[in-house]
Amino acid sequence: HMLQYKVRLLLLIFALCVILIRSFFIPAPHLSNCPNPQQVQKLDSISAPQGYKALVTGAAGFIGSHVARECLKLGYEVIAVDDMSGGFRKNVPIGVHFIIDDLKNAQFVSDLFERENFDVVYHIAAYAAEGLSHFIRNYNYQNNLVATTNLISQSVRVGSVKKFIFTSSIAVYGSGRTPMTEDMQPLPEDPYGISKLACEHDLKAAHEMFGLDYVIFRPHNVYGPGQNMYDKYRN
């Protein structure tokens, strides 16, 4: 019996060692397509192709202002749009062509895309009030879903957009499901998360039907310089 115990113990230790080694050298399935450090160039050496134009929505807000600033550093000509419902003019970086208008206005979005012929769209604008979204359903869906579909529609129609970058949310997963990974089934539990997931599905459909390339980010608890500390629903 002692021999059997030792054999089982050795097999268990061996299995644990294999799992540990795999965790170091074999990425999880949802990370298998991510580039490794050897494939990633130094960020300082990356620049946008000459003449490329980027649209950054929500550029007067917290995250959008940082994205607009980095796009300028990369060499993009940056056009920024914000309706100023939650942003501040002081956040908009110098060098950005800033437009105050409403992305829910389909005609405005159509005219903007026809005039500017964007190469890249960074869609950051949203009304990010997850808990409050239960009580402002129409406002939530208008700002987060309708505005996004206006941008997607014009990206497809005009045809100049080479990549659509969409800022979704960790809210698409719901709550109490940790650790969260990209391969988990989304289960949003509030209108905010539902609107974000609907936008993700619309982007997927636009890609499959029209070939619109896209990237989706699902940030969570972002903080830093430019954050609106006075909005209790965003902090």
Side-chain angles (χ1 to χ4, degrees):
H1 294 293
M2 181 61 67
L3 179 60
Q4 290 179 347
Y5 171 77
K6 289 182 178 180
V7 170
R8 288 176 180 175
L9 182 61
L10 287 172
L11 288 174
L12 177 61
I13 294 173
F14 177 75
L16 290 173
C17 288
V18 170
I19 292 172
L20 184 63
I21 292 172
R22 284 176 60 87
S23 68
F24 279 110
F25 296 103
I26 302 177
H30 67 284
L31 298 177
S32 60
N33 293 326
C34 293
N36 59 52
Q38 288 73 33
Q39 294 173 308
V40 179
Q41 301 175 0
K42 290 184 178 180
L43 294 178
D44 293 340
S45 66
I46 297 175
S47 62
Q50 187 173 4
Y52 264 42
K53 187 179 293 186
L55 169 65
V56 180
T57 70
F62 169 35
I63 299 176
S65 61
H66 287 281
V67 172
R69 188 173 294 107
E70 292 303 315
C71 283
L72 286 174
K73 290 180 182 178
L74 288 171
Y76 284 107
E77 179 185 350
V78 180
I79 312 295
V81 176
D82 202 299
D83 67 359
M84 303 305 290
S85 60
F88 300 93
R89 185 65 179 83
K90 65 181 182 180
N91 289 341
V92 181
I94 296 173
V96 167
H97 176 53
F98 184 55
I99 301 171
I100 299 176
D101 217 309
D102 192 345
L103 296 173
K104 299 190 297 293
N105 183 341
Q107 188 60 56
F108 160 70
V109 177
S110 176
D111 293 342
L112 179 68
F113 272 71
E114 284 188 3
R115 183 173 68 248
E116 301 295 347
N117 287 301
F118 298 111
D119 297 283
V120 181
V121 174
Y122 290 90
H123 182 32
I124 319 296
Y127 189 72
E130 191 172 346
L132 184 62
S133 66
H134 287 286
F135 308 98
I136 53 169
R137 276 180 155 77
N138 183 269
Y139 187 81
N140 167 76
Y141 290 122
Q142 289 289 326
N143 280 273
N144 296 328
L145 179 56
V146 172
T148 302
T149 57
N150 283 341
L151 293 168
I152 295 172
S153 296
Q154 297 309 317
S155 296
V156 168
R157 185 179 70 84
V158 173
S160 62
V161 175
K162 299 163 183 65
K163 188 79 71 176
F164 192 109
I165 297 92
F166 175 60
T167 305
S168 182
S169 171
I170 206 78
V172 302
Y173 294 117
S175 63
R177 305 173 68 206
T178 56
M180 294 179 178
T181 60
E182 291 92 336
D183 59 342
M184 289 175 61
Q185 180 70 28
L187 290 172
E189 61 182 11
D190 54 64
Y192 176 69
I194 292 169
S195 67
K196 287 293 190 178
L197 185 59
C199 293
E200 292 188 16
H201 287 311
D202 194 60
L203 271 172
K204 182 176 182 292
H207 172 72
E208 293 176 350
M209 178 62 69
F210 303 106
L212 178 64
D213 283 334
Y214 66 94
V215 174
I216 293 171
F217 289 98
R218 291 170 175 168
H220 180 42
N221 284 2
V222 183
Y223 64 94
Q227 180 179 2
N228 182 2
M229 298 300 295
Y230 303 100
D231 188 342
K232 65 180 180 179
Y233 293 108
R234 304 189 192 208
N235 296 289

